[in-house]
Amino acid sequence: MTTVSVTQLNNTVAVTTAGSTVVLTSPGGVAGAAGGSNIVLDTTPQLGGDLDMNSKFISSGIVGIKNTGAQSELRLYCESSNAHYASIKAPPHSGFSGNITFTMPGTDGSAGQVLKTDGSGTLSWVDQSAGGGGGLTRAQATAIALLFG
């Protein structure tokens, strides 16, 4: 049976087994909330500033944006000094009747097309109808104009 002992002092961790000791030193402190050098060991890491992803990706499925009392919002900033943004914002709590998910179409559609939902969250590209939706077609408007002169 092998015995392993771990000793932690400030920014140093010493691991001893079978008479050999390995000392690990971190300039930023020991992993976890106190030091933050290895967030894998910290199950609730908190940032004190912006997170620079260095052009890397978050690569594990779902990204959740929670908040502390305001509606969650996703902002995508422009390339020029982050001067402007496009935003997607959650509705207020009173506007929810359950969770909603929108599934985007696999193409970018054609010029003049708009996104349409099937009522179950699946979006598709369709030609925009006259008047922005639910309005008369050009042929219907022409027929009415001829009828009433």
Side-chain angles (χ1 to χ4, degrees):
M1 180 171 172
T2 302
T3 302
V4 176
S5 68
V6 177
T7 307
Q8 175 182 334
L9 295 170
N10 296 328
N11 63 341
T12 303
V13 174
V15 179
T16 304
T17 181
S20 297
T21 301
V22 176
V23 178
L24 307 170
T25 302
S26 171
V30 178
S37 64
N38 185 351
I39 65 170
V40 172
L41 301 176
D42 187 350
T43 59
T44 57
Q46 294 182 352
L47 297 176
D50 294 336
L51 173 63
D52 184 348
M53 300 279 297
N54 198 24
S55 296
K56 301 297 182 194
F57 301 96
I58 296 174
S59 58
S60 297
I62 297 172
V63 175
I65 301 175
K66 295 184 178 183
N67 60 65
T68 58
Q71 294 158 247
S72 293
E73 182 175 3
L74 174 64
R75 291 183 181 183
L76 305 171
Y77 287 84
C78 74
E79 77 288 356
S80 181
S81 301
N82 297 306
H84 312 308
Y85 62 84
S87 173
I88 298 173
K89 191 172 189 176
H93 178 75
S94 62
F96 277 100
S97 61
N99 297 327
I100 57 173
T101 300
F102 293 110
T103 303
M104 298 298 291
T107 64
D108 60 359
S110 300
Q113 288 189 315
V114 296
L115 282 175
K116 176 183 176 186
T117 180
D118 66 355
S120 296
T122 300
L123 303 176
S124 60
W125 294 106
V126 298
D127 291 329
Q128 186 174 11
S129 60
L136 300 174
T137 65
R138 183 180 302 263
Q140 291 168 326
T142 302
I144 291 171
L146 290 174
L147 182 63
F148 292 104

